Amino acid sequence: PFTMATLNVQSYNCNSVRSLSARNAVHNICENGCDVLMLQELMLPKQELSFLGSLHPDFLYFGISPVDYSSGPLTGRPYGGLGILWRKTVAHAINVVSLGYERILGITIDIKDGQKLLILNIYLPFQCADNEETYFSCLGALQSIIVDTCSDYVCIIGDFNANPGTRFFNFLNSWRSDLGLSIVDIDSLPVDTFTFVSSAHGSTSWLDHVVCSESLSNKLISVSVNYDLVTDDHMPISVNFSISAKDLASETEPQITDAANNPAAAPRVDWKRVSQDGLTSYCNNVQSELLVVYNDFIANDSNCTCTCTDVNCVNPAHRKLLDSFYDNIVQGLGAASAPLPKVKSNKNIQEE
């Protein structure tokens, strides 16, 4: 089983997550030690965000999109969109922070002793005069989020569209300095680093960054850009922190497997606090989880349990498989609801 030795967070502007190169890149990232993956430019409408659930079976997801088919026919292709994938083994410590911004999405990770790590996924507008007001507005929103969440550790990662030496980078650098934050990739990597290659003329830029609070910078192990993956234009950027599985807050409620014997003791979702996006994500996660459960059941049914018509069946192999099937359903539903706010919990859950 996977055990998190350090916390690995990665960011990847996939420029359409449905593309073959993006799907392969995401799968490769998930297979090679990533714990939390931030995706930008999904180019999916809201009605198709469930596609994120098909990218890797060991990860749960949450996504937002500015494109909604329900408002009428779409002109051109979908644009923008943010997604977060996180490993199921750390799901108990993760809460989604849906902030109401098209360009910002986040999670909090509960750490022992009541501490909290805030990780924000961002996609800021490209540099041009018309986008300056939007850029400043996004920086202001980020500052408000940081202040309002009162997190012990802060990481902002994603596509800042800020190449060193440019006007937008100067905005970013001044903003982070005022808040006492560090751009850890700029501080750690060579000056010829790049995270973007223009498909039009082959020029390179350093647009993707990792901005951290001083408290989190002190836990920094490494930061790198993955040049080995075949991508359309952006390269994934990766950062490791000295936070392991044993540092995460333990589940304050009984394990989900106990729910079958003691449903009243299982963690309960506070449905009144679940946003529409959260409900959609939950439904998509349930579909993904139960599909895995069903496929496992069929794969392990060597004794024709699913075709047995004996209402008084006492075949021990059938009973054992059905018991396992039920337990897996309960666990799958628990995993799907893990990001949702709970009642009667000691966790400091972010209000939406």
Side-chain angles (χ1 to χ4, degrees):
F2 178 85
T3 302
M4 189 181 82
T6 61
L7 177 65
N8 177 255
V9 181
Q10 298 197 38
S11 172
Y12 172 43
N13 183 322
C14 52
N15 190 27
S16 179
V17 72
R18 285 191 179 275
S19 70
L20 179 61
S21 62
R23 296 199 315 268
N24 288 341
V26 169
H27 192 271
N28 183 289
I29 292 169
C30 292
E31 282 288 301
N32 288 279
C34 180
D35 300 301
V36 177
L37 174 58
M38 304 299 198
L39 298 173
Q40 303 91 39
E41 285 202 279
L42 302 177
M43 297 187 184
L44 293 173
K46 289 182 178 179
Q47 291 75 12
E48 297 178 13
L49 288 171
S50 60
F51 181 77
L52 297 174
S54 69
L55 295 174
H56 198 283
D58 294 337
F59 283 73
L60 297 176
Y61 74 93
F62 189 86
I64 58 173
S65 171
V67 180
D68 188 349
Y69 281 159
S70 66
S71 60
L74 176 67
T75 302
R77 67 173 183 169
Y79 59 91
L82 296 170
I84 304 178
L85 305 182
W86 60 91
R87 197 172 289 276
K88 292 178 181 179
T89 52
V90 299
H92 67 277
I94 287 181
N95 300 294
V96 173
V97 186
S98 185
L99 299 157
Y101 298 99
E102 290 184 357
R103 295 182 176 273
I104 309 171
L105 182 63
I107 59 172
T108 59
I109 300 181
D110 293 328
I111 301 175
K112 286 182 177 178
D113 300 323
Q115 294 185 313
K116 181 166 59 176
L117 164 60
L118 173 69
I119 308 179
L120 296 175
N121 179 13
I122 60 105
Y123 172 51
L124 298 190
F126 67 89
Q127 179 170 308
C128 72
D130 290 342
N131 284 340
E132 283 194 12
E133 183 177 349
T134 303
Y135 205 90
F136 279 120
S137 177
C138 289
L139 293 179
L142 286 171
Q143 181 171 345
S144 296
I145 293 165
I146 293 171
V147 172
D148 291 344
T149 57
C150 300
S151 298
D152 302 276
Y153 306 97
V154 176
C155 174
I156 310 169
I157 186 170
D159 183 358
F160 286 79
N161 267 310
N163 192 38
T166 64
R167 186 171 177 82
F168 274 19
F169 182 83
N170 292 338
F171 294 158
L172 172 63
N173 199 34
S174 176
W175 172 84
R176 68 91 197 162
S177 178
D178 290 342
L179 294 180
L181 305 174
S182 300
I183 310 177
V184 297
D185 55 294
I186 294 291
D187 294 340
S188 305
L189 298 177
V191 294
D192 59 352
T193 298
F194 61 92
T195 63
F196 174 83
V197 178
S198 170
S199 58
H201 38 76
S203 61
T204 61
S205 305
W206 193 344
L207 303 180
D208 305 82
H209 303 289
V210 185
V211 177
C212 296
S213 61
E214 181 179 359
S215 57
L216 190 59
S217 296
N218 292 334
K219 292 182 175 292
L220 178 69
I221 296 175
S222 64
V223 58
S224 61
V225 177
N226 190 342
Y227 297 111
D228 296 330
L229 287 182
V230 177
T231 61
D232 286 341
D233 47 22
H234 282 261
M235 285 73 182
I237 190 166
S238 171
V239 61
N240 281 287
F241 300 109
S242 57
I243 299 174
S244 68
K246 64 181 177 61
D247 297 316
L248 301 185
S250 59
E251 296 181 78
T252 58
E253 302 284 353
Q255 294 292 324
I256 191 65
T257 50
D258 291 338
N261 297 320
N262 186 13
R268 293 189 292 125
V269 174
D270 188 350
W271 293 105
K272 294 180 181 179
R273 297 170 55 208
V274 178
S275 66
Q276 184 58 48
D277 285 342
L279 183 60
T280 300
S281 179
Y282 168 71
C283 292
N284 293 333
N285 280 335
V286 167
Q287 184 178 24
S288 175
E289 289 289 331
L290 294 188
L291 180 60
V292 172
V293 171
Y294 173 77
N295 289 337
D296 286 346
F297 175 76
I298 296 301
N300 292 313
D301 187 16
S302 59
N303 294 292
C304 302
T305 306
C306 64
T307 58
C308 178
T309 58
D310 184 359
V311 294
N312 297 310
C313 176
V314 293
N315 187 321
H318 289 189
R319 291 190 170 191
K320 181 178 180 181
L321 185 59
L322 288 174
D323 284 344
S324 176
F325 185 45
Y326 177 79
D327 287 343
N328 289 339
I329 290 174
V330 173
Q331 291 181 38
L333 294 175
S337 67
L340 302 180
K342 307 297 190 300
V343 295
K344 295 185 179 180
S345 170
N346 293 329
K347 287 185 179 182
N348 182 12
I349 297 175
Q350 172 67 34
E351 295 282 355
E352 296 185 354

